[in-house]
């Protein structure tokens, strides 16, 4: 078994709460200006969260990760048992944004054309016309994505990575604000197919949705009892607001020492011995370079959501599980000892010193 650190203070020095970690002050950006830009660009965040919470009770972690996906353009995979508001959360988010939304219900008998579209013969002018599929929307809910076979799941790959779709000999660009939010039931449930590794890696985050607390479930019961037209979701922001916020997120300051910290966290999943971690027998393959990139962009998004123009170590540690849990393939030894990828990530976070 992996021994969790009992006193993280012995391996992790005090975390600086400010931004002045780099002694080369001449090279630092104007933090006050960045904070001001973030405050102005994030004016819609709290109203949007409040609007979503009128429908979704609890699930604060899920809501925060959905907003992080909006701010970075990264696709999100939501995993949880049925009935935990995964689909409702995505639908509510889409309604709170003045943009187009499509829900695709994945089933075992689906074909790739059901997603991307196909060419249809027009007998009037003896030519083929393209009929676009539901993928041509800004926000896509791929509901129960693991209930469709791999050929259908792979139809999303080009769209997710390249933001374009090829039908016949024609290539079509997707909207600039294009986001795939997929839900899946746990793999061990009957009638599901494991997602191909290439597609899993294209999801920026894998968020595990858990049961609500007992207080939250009591509030859900009251909300259902009084459901009426007042729970309709209002559009709070437009795609232009989100695209403008993304430009601010890209400018958020990330210290070089934190960049080194990100690289160390990811590299430790590939070569744990280098960091004095006895984990090599539990890891089949480590996280890909996409994990490194996504840790950076998600940490910036979390800083933005917290009203800061700079990243702190807690932003990186806070998103490490969601960024890396689906990018580490555990070994048979780990399965035999009931060790998960989350256990491995937590051990790495407890061991590698924070700058």
């Amino acid at each position: 078994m992996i021994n969790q650190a009992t006193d993280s203070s012995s391996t992790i020095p005090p975390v600086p709460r400010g931004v002045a970690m780099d002694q080369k002050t001449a090279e630092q950006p104007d933090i006050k200006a960045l904070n001001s830009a973030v405050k102005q660009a994030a004016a819609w965040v709290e109203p949007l969260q409040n609007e979503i919470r009128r429908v979704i009770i609890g699930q604060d972690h899920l809501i925060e990760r959905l907003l992080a996906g909006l701010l970075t353009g990264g696709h999100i995979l939501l995993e949880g048992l049925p009935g935990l508001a995964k689909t409702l959360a995505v639908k509510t988010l889409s309604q709170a944004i003045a943009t187009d939304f499509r829900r695709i219900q994945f089933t075992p008998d689906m074909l790739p054309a059901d997603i991307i579209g196909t060419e249809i013969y027009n007998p009037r002018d003896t030519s083929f016309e393209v009929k676009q599929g539901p993928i041509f929307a800004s926000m896509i809910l791929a509901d129960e994505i693991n209930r469709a076979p791999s050929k259908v799941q792979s139809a999303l790959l080009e769209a997710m990575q390249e933001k374009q779709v090829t039908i016949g000999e024609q290539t079509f660009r997707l909207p600039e604000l294009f986001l795939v939010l997929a839900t899946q039931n746990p793999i061990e449930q009957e009638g599901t197919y494991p997602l191909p590794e290439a597609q899993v890696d294209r999801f920026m985050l894998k968020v595990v949705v858990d049961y609500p607390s007992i207080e939250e479930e009591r509030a859900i019961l009251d909300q259902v009892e009084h459901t009426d037209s007042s729970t309709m979701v209002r559009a709070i922001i437009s795609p232009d607001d989100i695209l403008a916020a993304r430009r601010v997120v890209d400018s958020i300051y990330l210290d070089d020492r934190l960049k080194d910290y990100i690289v160390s966290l990811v590299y430790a999943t590939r070569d744990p011995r280098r960091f004095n971690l006895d984990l090599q027998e539990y890891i089949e393959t480590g996280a890909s370079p996409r994990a490194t990139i996504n840790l950076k962009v998600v940490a910036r998004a979390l800083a933005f959501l917290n009203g800061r123009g700079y990243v702190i170590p807690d932003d990186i540690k806070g998103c490490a599980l969601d960024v890396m849990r689906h990018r580490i393939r555990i070994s048979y030894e780990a399965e035999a000892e009931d060790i998960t990828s989350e256990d491995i990530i937590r051990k790495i976070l407890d061991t590698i010193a924070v700058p």
Side-chain angles (χ1 to χ4, degrees), residues 5 7-15 261 313-314 317 346-355:
D7 183 11
S8 60
S9 63
S10 62
T11 57
I12 299 179
V15 178
Y261 180 57
D314 284 348
K317 297 177 69 175
R346 291 189 184 98
K347 179 63 176 178
I348 292 172
L349 291 172
D350 286 344
T351 302
I352 295 180
V354 175

Side-chain angles (χ1 to χ4, degrees), residues 169-232:
E169 297 181 352
Q170 300 185 59
T171 299
F172 302 89
R173 294 293 301 174
L174 294 169
E176 187 174 1
L177 178 64
F178 176 73
L179 192 64
V180 174
L181 304 170
T183 69
Q184 71 170 9
N185 296 328
I187 296 300
E188 61 267 23
Q189 288 216 338
E190 184 178 356
T192 60
Y193 301 82
L195 291 175
E197 291 182 10
Q199 182 164 352
V200 170
D201 196 44
R202 280 169 169 79
F203 284 101
M204 181 184 71
L205 300 171
K206 179 181 178 182
V207 181
V208 176
V209 184
D210 205 351
Y211 290 111
S213 67
I214 189 169
E215 295 81 11
E216 291 168 348
E217 193 142 358
R218 181 65 174 82
I220 291 171
L221 194 64
D222 289 338
Q223 184 192 59
V224 172
E225 189 174 273
H226 298 96
T227 296
D228 55 27
S229 59
S230 65
T231 60
M232 294 178 60

Side-chain angles (χ1 to χ4, degrees), residues 56-69:
I56 305 297
I57 295 176
Q59 302 294 4
D60 290 340
H61 180 80
L62 170 60
I63 294 172
E64 183 182 63
R65 293 307 184 259
L66 290 176
L67 295 184

Side-chain angles (χ1 to χ4, degrees), residues 48 52 65-67 69-71 73-76 78 86-104 133-143 156 174-182 237-239 242 246:
L48 179 62
I52 294 173
R65 293 307 184 259
L66 290 176
L67 295 184
L70 272 181
L71 291 168
H75 311 295
I76 301 177
L78 307 176
K86 301 184 301 295
T87 301
L88 180 61
V90 174
K91 184 178 179 181
T92 303
L93 175 64
S94 67
Q95 291 174 337
I97 303 172
T99 188
D100 50 343
F101 164 76
R102 296 288 185 275
R103 172 181 174 178
I104 306 174
I135 195 68
F136 290 90
S138 293
M139 296 191 66
I140 302 296
L141 170 58
D143 211 2
L156 286 175
L174 294 169
E176 187 174 1
L177 178 64
F178 176 73
L179 192 64
V180 174
L181 304 170
I237 56 173
S238 69
I242 298 171
R246 286 182 181 179

Side-chain angles (χ1 to χ4, degrees), residues 236-312:
I236 301 297
I237 56 173
S238 69
D240 289 339
D241 296 324
I242 298 171
L243 296 176
R246 286 182 181 179
R247 291 190 289 271
V248 176
V249 170
D250 291 340
S251 69
I252 287 178
Y253 177 63
L254 180 62
D255 189 86
D256 285 342
R257 298 183 192 183
L258 292 183
K259 292 178 182 178
D260 293 338
Y261 180 57
I262 289 173
V263 173
S264 296
L265 292 178
V266 176
Y267 207 87
T269 67
R270 307 172 198 162
D271 187 9
R273 288 191 183 95
R274 181 170 180 171
F275 300 89
N276 298 319
L277 286 162
D278 189 20
L279 298 174
Q280 58 276 356
E281 64 177 316
Y282 301 125
I283 301 174
E284 187 73 24
T285 56
S288 71
R290 282 197 182 99
T292 308
I293 297 169
N294 289 335
L295 276 174
K296 179 187 74 171
V297 298
V298 178
R300 280 177 165 165
L302 294 183
F304 180 92
L305 292 174
N306 285 282
R308 282 182 277 103
Y310 55 90
V311 174
I312 62 174

